Amino acid sequence: MRTSKFHRGLAGLAILISSAVATPAFAQEEEASPPVTISGSVGLVSDYRFRGVSQSDEGVAIQGGFTVSHESGFYAGTWGSNLAGWGTFGGPNLEVDLFAGYATTVGSAGIDVGVTWYMYPDGFDNTDFFEGYAKLKGTAGPVGLTAAVYYAPKQEALGNFSATPFSRGQKQDNLYLAGDAAIAIPDTPLTLTAHIGYSDGNPGLGPNGTSIAPTGKYWDYSFGAAVNVYGPLTLSVTYVDTDITRAESAYLLPNFQKFRNGGGGQIADSAIVFGVTAAF
């Protein structure tokens, strides 16, 4: 879901260096990693796309967050972004996600389960919702692979409330299936990525005119590249698209469209998204 990747800092390395200076070589013992680590990132993107659909009216978004991880595998954190157009719910038009989960390894596979609470500070209360997730991570040669399932049980924020053919004021649930691949090109700072996702949820509009699954069922996909240019700084470019057609989404108008610069565009059309991120 509005998700971002965080990189661990150099706290463990600093501890080892300090130990080496303070202790004679023959008495050195390898220091254990700290039980709690904090990692995070801050970045700028040319368009905030959530499952293929623009949440910033195809405009620039500032995003960032942090994660606190314990050596046991439990973690918690937050992530946020500004919103515009389709993605707004009143107030300052901000999204703040709170998440918590548990990550471990079984053999060579990584397992990550948790829950995310999507909230919109000072916005409409009936747009906040929660979603659980489970991820399975592994490798196939040089390629890192992730399969994920996201499920949000029936909630008011996901219901059919606006004037569409499907609206009866009922609550709805939402299922999202995703697959991701990443490959780091040897001897270069370049990483190539690919993503595909499938949404099955509310075919109408929620209580304030938006939905996390426009048209109910659709596919989204992306292909991208990221390059580490200096230290924690990474530049990225990503092609993003969905299979939502103008005819399929016509009943969602005027909500489901671009408003800035004269408006009228389809916010689920293909786009090239540029980003710059600094991790810590």
Side-chain angles (χ1 to χ4, degrees):
M1 84 147 37
R2 287 118 164 151
T3 59
S4 59
K5 297 180 179 179
F6 301 111
H7 302 276
R8 296 186 181 277
L10 299 178
L13 179 58
I15 291 175
L16 291 176
I17 293 174
S18 175
S19 175
V21 171
T23 310
F26 63 84
Q28 289 184 25
E29 292 184 3
E30 184 177 349
E31 292 281 355
S33 298
V36 176
T37 57
I38 300 176
S39 56
S41 69
V42 61
L44 185 72
V45 292
S46 61
D47 187 3
Y48 171 21
R49 292 273 171 150
F50 176 63
R51 297 175 185 174
V53 179
S54 179
Q55 307 294 307
S56 58
D57 205 26
E58 298 188 355
V60 172
I62 300 174
Q63 305 174 334
F66 65 90
T67 302
V68 179
S69 304
H70 188 264
E71 61 184 0
S72 64
F74 289 99
Y75 63 86
T78 185
W79 181 89
S81 176
N82 61 286
L83 306 170
W86 167 263
T88 58
F89 299 104
N93 293 327
L94 295 176
E95 173 192 337
V96 177
D97 302 343
L98 305 177
F99 57 86
Y102 176 75
T104 187
T105 57
V106 177
S108 60
I111 298 176
D112 184 357
V113 295
V115 63
T116 300
W117 177 257
Y118 297 90
M119 59 182 296
Y120 307 90
D122 293 326
F124 303 113
D125 291 337
N126 58 0
T127 54
D128 296 353
F129 69 97
F130 70 93
E131 179 181 63
Y133 58 85
K135 303 177 184 179
L136 179 64
K137 303 179 181 181
T139 58
V143 183
L145 300 172
T146 301
V149 177
Y150 302 81
Y151 180 72
K154 291 184 177 181
Q155 297 164 72
E156 184 179 6
L158 309 179
N160 283 311
F161 287 85
S162 299
T164 70
F166 311 99
S167 300
R168 298 188 301 277
Q170 70 273 37
K171 296 180 180 180
Q172 292 278 27
D173 60 357
N174 192 87
L175 174 67
Y176 184 68
L177 306 176
D180 291 88
I183 179 170
I185 306 302
D187 301 319
T188 75
L190 181 66
T191 299
L192 304 180
T193 61
H195 164 85
I196 187 168
Y198 176 73
S199 294
D200 185 351
N202 176 15
L205 295 175
N208 290 287
T210 62
S211 170
I212 64 170
T215 70
K217 299 179 180 180
Y218 75 98
W219 292 88
D220 70 273
Y221 51 94
S222 63
F223 307 94
V227 58
N228 179 245
V229 293
Y230 179 78
L233 193 65
T234 298
L235 301 180
S236 64
V237 57
T238 308
Y239 173 84
V240 185
D241 203 355
T242 75
D243 69 347
I244 298 176
T245 67
R246 293 179 183 272
E248 289 173 333
S249 63
Y251 71 92
L252 297 172
L253 298 176
N255 300 63
F256 194 68
Q257 66 176 348
K258 179 181 175 181
F259 293 96
R260 61 192 296 268
N261 297 331
Q266 221 261 44
I267 57 173
D269 279 347
S270 62
I272 302 294
V273 178
F274 299 93
V276 55
T277 303
F280 60 87

